Amino acid sequence: MTKAASWAIMILGLLYFILPLWGMVEFSLSMRRGVYSFDAYAAVLSDPQFRQTFSYSVLMALLTILFGILLVVPTAFWVQLKLPRLRPLIEFITLMPLVIPAIVTVFGYIRLYNTSSWLPLTGTTLGTNFLLVMGYATLSLPYMYRAVDTGLRSIDVATLTEAAQSLGAGWVRIIGQIILPNVLVAVLSGSFVTFAIVMGEFTMAALLNRPAFGPYLQLMGANKAYEPFALATIAFVITWACMGLIQLVTRFTNHTKAGR
């Protein structure tokens, strides 16, 4: 393949991704006839329902990240330290959310925890929010587990654990004060991906009837012309901001390690 052909393929690929994005942004700025303006963004940002749904999704994302860290870090640490033979099984389990559609998971929740079941979580707001956090944690599990597992493989878990135990540290202190700081970049990477997933998720929030950002985006798309494109642009910026933070944290950590 010649150099010109390589450049042509790369340019075509860039156009394939950039042109739809440009079309989305350009249309979101075309609310005022004849000139570009931010009227659609102003209309969205002044909508009380936008602030409510956005704040709700941010809260759910933070709770999901907290639960994911509490679940994944000890599990991956224990598998790395004590149960390395079970790693293929654990990895297979963590991949299951990628092959099971979210709609199947949420219908399972509704079937098991409806108001006539033995544990009627869907009968209260708190219970439904709890189910939604569990669902989000399930969706983000493949990404969070792989990020933490990769971080644990880059350090000597056995030596760190033995050194801490020789100084009298318990398991909680070992995980919280020794293991977690050493895999903090990996945890942050998984957390940013989790945040992006939660902010754009629609199926679970809609079927559980929760006021999240995803259903609000769908509602605006069904009733407005320009505002949905402004919302899509905002969601796109949030996602890329998360990706940029991952790169920034990774580079900062590598630079810090290289300087030691």
Side-chain angles (χ1 to χ4, degrees):
M1 181 180 295
T2 63
K3 190 175 181 179
S6 301
W7 276 102
I9 293 174
M10 188 180 72
I11 291 173
L12 285 175
L14 288 174
L15 291 175
Y16 179 80
F17 287 104
I18 291 175
L19 284 180
L21 295 175
W22 168 248
M24 177 182 70
V25 176
E26 194 271 341
F27 190 77
S28 70
L29 297 172
S30 305
M31 189 173 184
R32 191 179 302 175
R33 187 179 298 274
V35 294
Y36 289 131
S37 69
F38 291 96
D39 289 356
Y41 294 89
V44 166
L45 295 176
S46 62
D47 186 358
Q49 196 175 1
F50 166 76
R51 293 194 293 269
Q52 178 189 359
T53 56
F54 190 82
S55 302
Y56 178 83
S57 288
V58 169
L59 177 61
M60 291 295 105
L62 295 178
L63 292 175
T64 303
I65 290 170
L66 178 62
F67 178 78
I69 292 173
L70 293 176
L71 173 68
V72 170
V73 173
T75 302
F77 165 72
W78 199 252
V79 171
Q80 176 86 6
L81 184 66
K82 298 288 186 181
L83 305 170
R85 292 183 179 179
L86 291 183
R87 177 175 286 119
L89 175 63
I90 300 298
E91 289 182 349
F92 174 76
I93 293 173
T94 60
L95 286 175
M96 293 300 290
L98 296 178
V99 296
I100 298 176
I103 193 170
V104 174
T105 303
V106 72
F107 270 123
Y109 286 166
I110 295 172
R111 180 72 178 87
L112 287 173
Y113 304 114
N114 60 63
T115 53
S116 60
S117 68
W118 63 279
L119 188 59
L121 290 176
T122 58
T124 63
T125 301
L126 183 62
T128 311
N129 289 338
F130 175 77
L131 283 179
L132 189 59
V133 170
M134 295 300 104
Y136 286 158
T138 302
L139 291 179
S140 61
L141 183 61
Y143 312 101
M144 178 64 86
Y145 183 84
R146 258 141 201 82
V148 174
D149 187 54
T150 302
L152 286 172
R153 292 190 191 201
S154 66
I155 62 176
D156 193 342
V157 173
T159 301
L160 289 173
T161 304
E162 291 174 1
Q165 287 179 325
S166 67
L167 296 174
W171 290 113
V172 174
R173 176 167 292 184
I174 291 173
I175 295 174
Q177 296 186 1
I178 297 173
I179 299 301
L180 185 58
N182 279 283
V183 296
L184 189 57
V185 174
V187 171
L188 287 175
S189 298
S191 299
F192 290 137
V193 175
T194 300
F195 186 84
I197 291 173
V198 172
M199 293 305 294
E201 203 281 333
F202 167 77
T203 306
M204 288 188 170
L207 292 178
L208 289 174
N209 195 28
R210 302 310 304 143
F213 186 64
Y216 173 71
L217 181 61
Q218 188 277 333
L219 179 65
M220 292 292 286
N223 297 285
K224 303 286 185 179
Y226 299 96
E227 288 85 346
F229 289 87
L231 279 173
T233 304
I234 293 172
F236 178 77
V237 170
I238 292 172
T239 302
W240 276 91
C242 290
M243 298 299 108
L245 286 173
I246 292 174
Q247 294 296 325
L248 186 65
V249 170
T250 304
R251 288 189 179 186
F252 176 76
T253 304
N254 292 337
H255 177 73
T256 303
K257 288 180 177 178
R260 290 176 182 173

mmCIF file of all heavy atoms in Angstrom, residues 47-87:
data_model
loop_
_atom_site.group_PDB
_atom_site.id
_atom_site.type_symbol
_atom_site.label_atom_id
_atom_site.label_comp_id
_atom_site.label_asym_id
_atom_site.label_seq_id
_atom_site.Cartn_x
_atom_site.Cartn_y
_atom_site.Cartn_z
ATOM 1 N N ASP A 47 -33.976 24.812 31.379
ATOM 2 C CA ASP A 47 -35.085 23.901 31.656
ATOM 3 C C ASP A 47 -34.885 23.252 33.027
ATOM 4 O O ASP A 47 -33.883 22.543 33.236
ATOM 5 C CB ASP A 47 -35.149 22.831 30.561
ATOM 6 C CG ASP A 47 -36.371 21.940 30.716
ATOM 7 O OD1 ASP A 47 -37.132 22.139 31.692
ATOM 8 O OD2 ASP A 47 -36.553 21.031 29.885
ATOM 9 N N PRO A 48 -35.799 23.439 33.968
ATOM 10 C CA PRO A 48 -35.636 22.825 35.295
ATOM 11 C C PRO A 48 -35.551 21.293 35.230
ATOM 12 O O PRO A 48 -34.855 20.676 36.043
ATOM 13 C CB PRO A 48 -36.896 23.266 36.052
ATOM 14 C CG PRO A 48 -37.377 24.472 35.328
ATOM 15 C CD PRO A 48 -37.007 24.275 33.888
ATOM 16 N N GLN A 49 -36.240 20.704 34.249
ATOM 17 C CA GLN A 49 -36.199 19.244 34.129
ATOM 18 C C GLN A 49 -34.817 18.756 33.729
ATOM 19 O O GLN A 49 -34.391 17.678 34.136
ATOM 20 C CB GLN A 49 -37.233 18.784 33.103
ATOM 21 C CG GLN A 49 -37.528 17.289 33.190
ATOM 22 C CD GLN A 49 -38.651 16.872 32.257
ATOM 23 O OE1 GLN A 49 -39.195 17.706 31.530
ATOM 24 N NE2 GLN A 49 -38.993 15.605 32.279
ATOM 25 N N PHE A 50 -34.094 19.581 32.922
ATOM 26 C CA PHE A 50 -32.724 19.209 32.568
ATOM 27 C C PHE A 50 -31.841 19.170 33.810
ATOM 28 O O PHE A 50 -31.085 18.231 34.028
ATOM 29 C CB PHE A 50 -32.162 20.212 31.553
ATOM 30 C CG PHE A 50 -30.673 20.108 31.380
ATOM 31 C CD1 PHE A 50 -30.109 19.074 30.640
ATOM 32 C CD2 PHE A 50 -29.831 21.034 31.983
ATOM 33 C CE1 PHE A 50 -28.734 18.974 30.500
ATOM 34 C CE2 PHE A 50 -28.450 20.937 31.837
ATOM 35 C CZ PHE A 50 -27.907 19.898 31.096
ATOM 36 N N ARG A 51 -31.933 20.235 34.629
ATOM 37 C CA ARG A 51 -31.101 20.272 35.838
ATOM 38 C C ARG A 51 -31.451 19.127 36.781
ATOM 39 O O ARG A 51 -30.566 18.527 37.397
ATOM 40 C CB ARG A 51 -31.280 21.628 36.533
ATOM 41 C CG ARG A 51 -30.731 22.795 35.718
ATOM 42 C CD ARG A 51 -30.628 24.047 36.575
ATOM 43 N NE ARG A 51 -31.940 24.539 36.966
ATOM 44 C CZ ARG A 51 -32.637 25.424 36.271
ATOM 45 N NH1 ARG A 51 -32.144 25.902 35.147
ATOM 46 N NH2 ARG A 51 -33.815 25.839 36.686
ATOM 47 N N GLN A 52 -32.751 18.815 36.872
ATOM 48 C CA GLN A 52 -33.163 17.726 37.767
ATOM 49 C C GLN A 52 -32.634 16.378 37.280
ATOM 50 O O GLN A 52 -32.060 15.601 38.060
ATOM 51 C CB GLN A 52 -34.689 17.689 37.851
ATOM 52 C CG GLN A 52 -35.215 16.549 38.716
ATOM 53 C CD GLN A 52 -36.728 16.395 38.606
ATOM 54 O OE1 GLN A 52 -37.381 17.158 37.881
ATOM 55 N NE2 GLN A 52 -37.275 15.429 39.301
ATOM 56 N N THR A 53 -32.825 16.089 35.986
ATOM 57 C CA THR A 53 -32.394 14.791 35.463
ATOM 58 C C THR A 53 -30.868 14.676 35.425
ATOM 59 O O THR A 53 -30.311 13.612 35.718
ATOM 60 C CB THR A 53 -32.958 14.572 34.053
ATOM 61 O OG1 THR A 53 -32.563 15.672 33.204
ATOM 62 C CG2 THR A 53 -34.473 14.487 34.083
ATOM 63 N N PHE A 54 -30.199 15.778 35.097
ATOM 64 C CA PHE A 54 -28.737 15.749 35.059
ATOM 65 C C PHE A 54 -28.167 15.517 36.458
ATOM 66 O O PHE A 54 -27.259 14.696 36.645
ATOM 67 C CB PHE A 54 -28.212 17.061 34.476
ATOM 68 C CG PHE A 54 -26.743 17.054 34.183
ATOM 69 C CD1 PHE A 54 -26.251 16.498 33.014
ATOM 70 C CD2 PHE A 54 -25.842 17.588 35.085
ATOM 71 C CE1 PHE A 54 -24.897 16.481 32.743
ATOM 72 C CE2 PHE A 54 -24.481 17.579 34.833
ATOM 73 C CZ PHE A 54 -24.006 17.023 33.657
ATOM 74 N N SER A 55 -28.713 16.240 37.446
ATOM 75 C CA SER A 55 -28.243 16.064 38.829
ATOM 76 C C SER A 55 -28.520 14.647 39.313
ATOM 77 O O SER A 55 -27.683 14.033 39.992
ATOM 78 C CB SER A 55 -28.934 17.075 39.747
ATOM 79 O OG SER A 55 -28.690 18.388 39.328
ATOM 80 N N TYR A 56 -29.689 14.127 38.959
ATOM 81 C CA TYR A 56 -30.025 12.762 39.383
ATOM 82 C C TYR A 56 -29.044 11.754 38.781
ATOM 83 O O TYR A 56 -28.551 10.857 39.486
ATOM 84 C CB TYR A 56 -31.452 12.445 38.947
ATOM 85 C CG TYR A 56 -31.898 11.047 39.288
ATOM 86 C CD1 TYR A 56 -32.389 10.740 40.547
ATOM 87 C CD2 TYR A 56 -31.825 10.025 38.338
ATOM 88 C CE1 TYR A 56 -32.785 9.451 40.862
ATOM 89 C CE2 TYR A 56 -32.218 8.743 38.644
ATOM 90 C CZ TYR A 56 -32.699 8.460 39.898
ATOM 91 O OH TYR A 56 -33.094 7.170 40.211
ATOM 92 N N SER A 57 -28.741 11.899 37.486
ATOM 93 C CA SER A 57 -27.820 10.944 36.853
ATOM 94 C C SER A 57 -26.408 11.063 37.426
ATOM 95 O O SER A 57 -25.714 10.059 37.586
ATOM 96 C CB SER A 57 -27.795 11.175 35.329
ATOM 97 O OG SER A 57 -28.999 10.725 34.745
ATOM 98 N N VAL A 58 -25.984 12.300 37.736
ATOM 99 C CA VAL A 58 -24.652 12.466 38.353
ATOM 100 C C VAL A 58 -24.612 11.768 39.709
ATOM 101 O O VAL A 58 -23.640 11.071 40.037
ATOM 102 C CB VAL A 58 -24.322 13.969 38.498
ATOM 103 C CG1 VAL A 58 -23.082 14.157 39.369
ATOM 104 C CG2 VAL A 58 -24.098 14.598 37.138
ATOM 105 N N LEU A 59 -25.680 11.924 40.504
ATOM 106 C CA LEU A 59 -25.732 11.251 41.812
ATOM 107 C C LEU A 59 -25.706 9.735 41.646
ATOM 108 O O LEU A 59 -24.968 9.032 42.359
ATOM 109 C CB LEU A 59 -27.002 11.686 42.555
ATOM 110 C CG LEU A 59 -27.234 11.001 43.910
ATOM 111 C CD1 LEU A 59 -26.100 11.303 44.874
ATOM 112 C CD2 LEU A 59 -28.579 11.445 44.506
ATOM 113 N N MET A 60 -26.503 9.221 40.707
ATOM 114 C CA MET A 60 -26.507 7.779 40.473
ATOM 115 C C MET A 60 -25.135 7.285 40.001
ATOM 116 O O MET A 60 -24.676 6.196 40.381
ATOM 117 C CB MET A 60 -27.567 7.429 39.418
ATOM 118 C CG MET A 60 -29.006 7.600 39.867
ATOM 119 S SD MET A 60 -29.509 6.472 41.194
ATOM 120 C CE MET A 60 -29.511 7.608 42.584
ATOM 121 N N ALA A 61 -24.461 8.104 39.183
ATOM 122 C CA ALA A 61 -23.130 7.723 38.696
ATOM 123 C C ALA A 61 -22.128 7.640 39.847
ATOM 124 O O ALA A 61 -21.332 6.690 39.928
ATOM 125 C CB ALA A 61 -22.655 8.729 37.648
ATOM 126 N N LEU A 62 -22.180 8.615 40.761
ATOM 127 C CA LEU A 62 -21.252 8.604 41.894
ATOM 128 C C LEU A 62 -21.518 7.407 42.812
ATOM 129 O O LEU A 62 -20.573 6.761 43.289
ATOM 130 C CB LEU A 62 -21.376 9.916 42.677
ATOM 131 C CG LEU A 62 -20.956 11.176 41.915
ATOM 132 C CD1 LEU A 62 -21.175 12.414 42.778
ATOM 133 C CD2 LEU A 62 -19.494 11.085 41.493
ATOM 134 N N LEU A 63 -22.809 7.114 43.055
ATOM 135 C CA LEU A 63 -23.138 5.948 43.881
ATOM 136 C C LEU A 63 -22.699 4.650 43.203
ATOM 137 O O LEU A 63 -22.217 3.717 43.858
ATOM 138 C CB LEU A 63 -24.648 5.919 44.167
ATOM 139 C CG LEU A 63 -25.178 7.037 45.070
ATOM 140 C CD1 LEU A 63 -26.700 6.962 45.168
ATOM 141 C CD2 LEU A 63 -24.556 6.937 46.460
ATOM 142 N N THR A 64 -22.870 4.589 41.891
ATOM 143 C CA THR A 64 -22.451 3.394 41.149
ATOM 144 C C THR A 64 -20.932 3.218 41.213
ATOM 145 O O THR A 64 -20.434 2.102 41.395
ATOM 146 C CB THR A 64 -22.899 3.511 39.676
ATOM 147 O OG1 THR A 64 -24.306 3.694 39.628
ATOM 148 C CG2 THR A 64 -22.523 2.256 38.902
ATOM 149 N N ILE A 65 -20.206 4.323 41.075
ATOM 150 C CA ILE A 65 -18.740 4.243 41.153
ATOM 151 C C ILE A 65 -18.308 3.779 42.533
ATOM 152 O O ILE A 65 -17.427 2.912 42.667
ATOM 153 C CB ILE A 65 -18.135 5.622 40.817
ATOM 154 C CG1 ILE A 65 -18.329 5.928 39.337
ATOM 155 C CG2 ILE A 65 -16.658 5.671 41.177
ATOM 156 C CD1 ILE A 65 -17.994 7.347 38.954
ATOM 157 N N LEU A 66 -18.932 4.331 43.578
ATOM 158 C CA LEU A 66 -18.584 3.927 44.948
ATOM 159 C C LEU A 66 -18.859 2.444 45.162
ATOM 160 O O LEU A 66 -18.007 1.712 45.699
ATOM 161 C CB LEU A 66 -19.380 4.772 45.949
ATOM 162 C CG LEU A 66 -19.169 4.440 47.422
ATOM 163 C CD1 LEU A 66 -17.714 4.672 47.820
ATOM 164 C CD2 LEU A 66 -20.098 5.282 48.310
ATOM 165 N N PHE A 67 -20.037 1.994 44.735
ATOM 166 C CA PHE A 67 -20.359 0.574 44.889
ATOM 167 C C PHE A 67 -19.408 -0.298 44.061
ATOM 168 O O PHE A 67 -18.967 -1.368 44.514
ATOM 169 C CB PHE A 67 -21.808 0.319 44.456
ATOM 170 C CG PHE A 67 -22.205 -1.130 44.527
ATOM 171 C CD1 PHE A 67 -22.514 -1.722 45.739
ATOM 172 C CD2 PHE A 67 -22.250 -1.910 43.375
ATOM 173 C CE1 PHE A 67 -22.865 -3.058 45.813
ATOM 174 C CE2 PHE A 67 -22.605 -3.240 43.433
ATOM 175 C CZ PHE A 67 -22.914 -3.819 44.656
ATOM 176 N N GLY A 68 -19.084 0.165 42.855
ATOM 177 C CA GLY A 68 -18.183 -0.619 42.007
ATOM 178 C C GLY A 68 -16.805 -0.766 42.622
ATOM 179 O O GLY A 68 -16.204 -1.849 42.572
ATOM 180 N N ILE A 69 -16.298 0.303 43.227
ATOM 181 C CA ILE A 69 -14.980 0.225 43.871
ATOM 182 C C ILE A 69 -15.025 -0.746 45.050
ATOM 183 O O ILE A 69 -14.130 -1.583 45.220
ATOM 184 C CB ILE A 69 -14.541 1.632 44.330
ATOM 185 C CG1 ILE A 69 -14.269 2.516 43.114
ATOM 186 C CG2 ILE A 69 -13.293 1.555 45.214
ATOM 187 C CD1 ILE A 69 -13.991 3.962 43.467
ATOM 188 N N LEU A 70 -16.074 -0.625 45.880
ATOM 189 C CA LEU A 70 -16.191 -1.506 47.049
ATOM 190 C C LEU A 70 -16.348 -2.967 46.637
ATOM 191 O O LEU A 70 -15.932 -3.866 47.376
ATOM 192 C CB LEU A 70 -17.388 -1.071 47.912
ATOM 193 C CG LEU A 70 -17.261 0.296 48.592
ATOM 194 C CD1 LEU A 70 -18.550 0.639 49.331
ATOM 195 C CD2 LEU A 70 -16.077 0.292 49.557
ATOM 196 N N LEU A 71 -16.956 -3.209 45.486
ATOM 197 C CA LEU A 71 -17.150 -4.592 45.036
ATOM 198 C C LEU A 71 -15.934 -5.134 44.299
ATOM 199 O O LEU A 71 -15.476 -6.263 44.566
ATOM 200 C CB LEU A 71 -18.383 -4.650 44.121
ATOM 201 C CG LEU A 71 -18.633 -6.010 43.424
ATOM 202 C CD1 LEU A 71 -19.017 -7.062 44.467
ATOM 203 C CD2 LEU A 71 -19.726 -5.869 42.372
ATOM 204 N N VAL A 72 -15.399 -4.355 43.388
ATOM 205 C CA VAL A 72 -14.393 -4.876 42.454
ATOM 206 C C VAL A 72 -12.994 -4.929 43.064
ATOM 207 O O VAL A 72 -12.277 -5.932 42.879
ATOM 208 C CB VAL A 72 -14.392 -4.030 41.162
ATOM 209 C CG1 VAL A 72 -13.207 -4.397 40.286
ATOM 210 C CG2 VAL A 72 -15.694 -4.222 40.416
ATOM 211 N N VAL A 73 -12.583 -3.888 43.782
ATOM 212 C CA VAL A 73 -11.206 -3.859 44.294
ATOM 213 C C VAL A 73 -10.918 -5.031 45.232
ATOM 214 O O VAL A 73 -9.922 -5.753 45.027
ATOM 215 C CB VAL A 73 -10.908 -2.498 44.960
ATOM 216 C CG1 VAL A 73 -9.545 -2.532 45.644
ATOM 217 C CG2 VAL A 73 -10.952 -1.382 43.929
ATOM 218 N N PRO A 74 -11.742 -5.280 46.267
ATOM 219 C CA PRO A 74 -11.462 -6.454 47.115
ATOM 220 C C PRO A 74 -11.546 -7.774 46.353
ATOM 221 O O PRO A 74 -10.744 -8.688 46.598
ATOM 222 C CB PRO A 74 -12.537 -6.370 48.198
ATOM 223 C CG PRO A 74 -12.978 -4.954 48.210
ATOM 224 C CD PRO A 74 -12.878 -4.503 46.787
ATOM 225 N N THR A 75 -12.511 -7.871 45.427
ATOM 226 C CA THR A 75 -12.659 -9.122 44.674
ATOM 227 C C THR A 75 -11.439 -9.389 43.799
ATOM 228 O O THR A 75 -10.870 -10.488 43.816
ATOM 229 C CB THR A 75 -13.925 -9.052 43.797
ATOM 230 O OG1 THR A 75 -15.053 -8.806 44.622
ATOM 231 C CG2 THR A 75 -14.120 -10.358 43.042
ATOM 232 N N ALA A 76 -11.028 -8.385 43.030
ATOM 233 C CA ALA A 76 -9.868 -8.564 42.151
ATOM 234 C C ALA A 76 -8.598 -8.797 42.962
ATOM 235 O O ALA A 76 -7.734 -9.598 42.570
ATOM 236 C CB ALA A 76 -9.708 -7.326 41.258
ATOM 237 N N PHE A 77 -8.497 -8.118 44.103
ATOM 238 C CA PHE A 77 -7.329 -8.320 44.976
ATOM 239 C C PHE A 77 -7.277 -9.758 45.490
ATOM 240 O O PHE A 77 -6.215 -10.403 45.474
ATOM 241 C CB PHE A 77 -7.411 -7.338 46.144
ATOM 242 C CG PHE A 77 -6.498 -7.665 47.287
ATOM 243 C CD1 PHE A 77 -5.127 -7.481 47.183
ATOM 244 C CD2 PHE A 77 -7.008 -8.165 48.486
ATOM 245 C CE1 PHE A 77 -4.283 -7.791 48.244
ATOM 246 C CE2 PHE A 77 -6.182 -8.470 49.540
ATOM 247 C CZ PHE A 77 -4.815 -8.285 49.420
ATOM 248 N N TRP A 78 -8.421 -10.268 45.938
ATOM 249 C CA TRP A 78 -8.453 -11.627 46.482
ATOM 250 C C TRP A 78 -8.161 -12.672 45.402
ATOM 251 O O TRP A 78 -7.476 -13.662 45.650
ATOM 252 C CB TRP A 78 -9.816 -11.889 47.129
ATOM 253 C CG TRP A 78 -9.799 -13.043 48.077
ATOM 254 C CD1 TRP A 78 -10.351 -14.283 47.899
ATOM 255 C CD2 TRP A 78 -9.171 -13.077 49.366
ATOM 256 N NE1 TRP A 78 -10.121 -15.070 48.986
ATOM 257 C CE2 TRP A 78 -9.390 -14.364 49.906
ATOM 258 C CE3 TRP A 78 -8.447 -12.154 50.118
ATOM 259 C CZ2 TRP A 78 -8.913 -14.728 51.171
ATOM 260 C CZ3 TRP A 78 -7.967 -12.518 51.359
ATOM 261 C CH2 TRP A 78 -8.202 -13.791 51.863
ATOM 262 N N VAL A 79 -8.716 -12.444 44.212
ATOM 263 C CA VAL A 79 -8.444 -13.368 43.106
ATOM 264 C C VAL A 79 -6.969 -13.346 42.745
ATOM 265 O O VAL A 79 -6.344 -14.394 42.508
ATOM 266 C CB VAL A 79 -9.311 -13.000 41.877
ATOM 267 C CG1 VAL A 79 -8.877 -13.799 40.647
ATOM 268 C CG2 VAL A 79 -10.773 -13.248 42.177
ATOM 269 N N GLN A 80 -6.391 -12.156 42.713
ATOM 270 C CA GLN A 80 -4.964 -12.031 42.379
ATOM 271 C C GLN A 80 -4.079 -12.700 43.426
ATOM 272 O O GLN A 80 -3.079 -13.337 43.098
ATOM 273 C CB GLN A 80 -4.618 -10.533 42.284
ATOM 274 C CG GLN A 80 -3.147 -10.227 42.037
ATOM 275 C CD GLN A 80 -2.801 -10.243 40.563
ATOM 276 O OE1 GLN A 80 -3.685 -10.377 39.734
ATOM 277 N NE2 GLN A 80 -1.533 -10.144 40.259
ATOM 278 N N LEU A 81 -4.484 -12.596 44.704
ATOM 279 C CA LEU A 81 -3.622 -13.065 45.792
ATOM 280 C C LEU A 81 -3.840 -14.538 46.123
ATOM 281 O O LEU A 81 -2.875 -15.297 46.282
ATOM 282 C CB LEU A 81 -3.871 -12.212 47.035
ATOM 283 C CG LEU A 81 -2.980 -12.507 48.247
ATOM 284 C CD1 LEU A 81 -1.530 -12.146 47.947
ATOM 285 C CD2 LEU A 81 -3.483 -11.748 49.478
ATOM 286 N N LYS A 82 -5.110 -14.934 46.225
ATOM 287 C CA LYS A 82 -5.430 -16.265 46.750
ATOM 288 C C LYS A 82 -6.023 -17.230 45.740
ATOM 289 O O LYS A 82 -5.912 -18.444 45.905
ATOM 290 C CB LYS A 82 -6.418 -16.124 47.930
ATOM 291 C CG LYS A 82 -5.882 -15.331 49.119
ATOM 292 C CD LYS A 82 -4.817 -16.115 49.871
ATOM 293 C CE LYS A 82 -4.408 -15.371 51.143
ATOM 294 N NZ LYS A 82 -3.356 -16.105 51.891
ATOM 295 N N LEU A 83 -6.705 -16.699 44.729
ATOM 296 C CA LEU A 83 -7.454 -17.578 43.819
ATOM 297 C C LEU A 83 -7.084 -17.331 42.354
ATOM 298 O O LEU A 83 -7.971 -17.103 41.518
ATOM 299 C CB LEU A 83 -8.958 -17.364 44.018
ATOM 300 C CG LEU A 83 -9.495 -17.540 45.442
ATOM 301 C CD1 LEU A 83 -10.930 -17.060 45.530
ATOM 302 C CD2 LEU A 83 -9.396 -19.005 45.869
ATOM 303 N N PRO A 84 -5.808 -17.373 42.006
ATOM 304 C CA PRO A 84 -5.448 -17.091 40.594
ATOM 305 C C PRO A 84 -6.033 -18.101 39.618
ATOM 306 O O PRO A 84 -6.256 -17.775 38.454
ATOM 307 C CB PRO A 84 -3.919 -17.129 40.616
ATOM 308 C CG PRO A 84 -3.573 -17.945 41.814
ATOM 309 C CD PRO A 84 -4.632 -17.671 42.833
ATOM 310 N N ARG A 85 -6.290 -19.336 40.093
ATOM 311 C CA ARG A 85 -6.872 -20.340 39.186
ATOM 312 C C ARG A 85 -8.304 -20.000 38.789
ATOM 313 O O ARG A 85 -8.803 -20.503 37.784
ATOM 314 C CB ARG A 85 -6.840 -21.713 39.853
ATOM 315 C CG ARG A 85 -5.430 -22.277 40.045
ATOM 316 C CD ARG A 85 -5.484 -23.663 40.654
ATOM 317 N NE ARG A 85 -4.140 -24.220 40.824
ATOM 318 C CZ ARG A 85 -3.887 -25.405 41.358
ATOM 319 N NH1 ARG A 85 -4.896 -26.163 41.782
ATOM 320 N NH2 ARG A 85 -2.646 -25.830 41.468
ATOM 321 N N LEU A 86 -8.974 -19.185 39.618
ATOM 322 C CA LEU A 86 -10.362 -18.820 39.303
ATOM 323 C C LEU A 86 -10.461 -17.582 38.403
ATOM 324 O O LEU A 86 -11.560 -17.158 38.088
ATOM 325 C CB LEU A 86 -11.134 -18.556 40.601
ATOM 326 C CG LEU A 86 -11.420 -19.768 41.486
ATOM 327 C CD1 LEU A 86 -12.245 -19.347 42.699
ATOM 328 C CD2 LEU A 86 -12.146 -20.853 40.718
ATOM 329 N N ARG A 87 -9.308 -17.031 37.999
ATOM 330 C CA ARG A 87 -9.356 -15.809 37.191
ATOM 331 C C ARG A 87 -10.157 -15.984 35.896
ATOM 332 O O ARG A 87 -10.982 -15.120 35.558
ATOM 333 C CB ARG A 87 -7.948 -15.320 36.867
ATOM 334 C CG ARG A 87 -7.969 -14.088 35.965
ATOM 335 C CD ARG A 87 -6.613 -13.478 35.715
ATOM 336 N NE ARG A 87 -6.136 -12.770 36.883
ATOM 337 C CZ ARG A 87 -5.046 -13.069 37.522
ATOM 338 N NH1 ARG A 87 -4.297 -14.083 37.128
ATOM 339 N NH2 ARG A 87 -4.674 -12.382 38.571
#
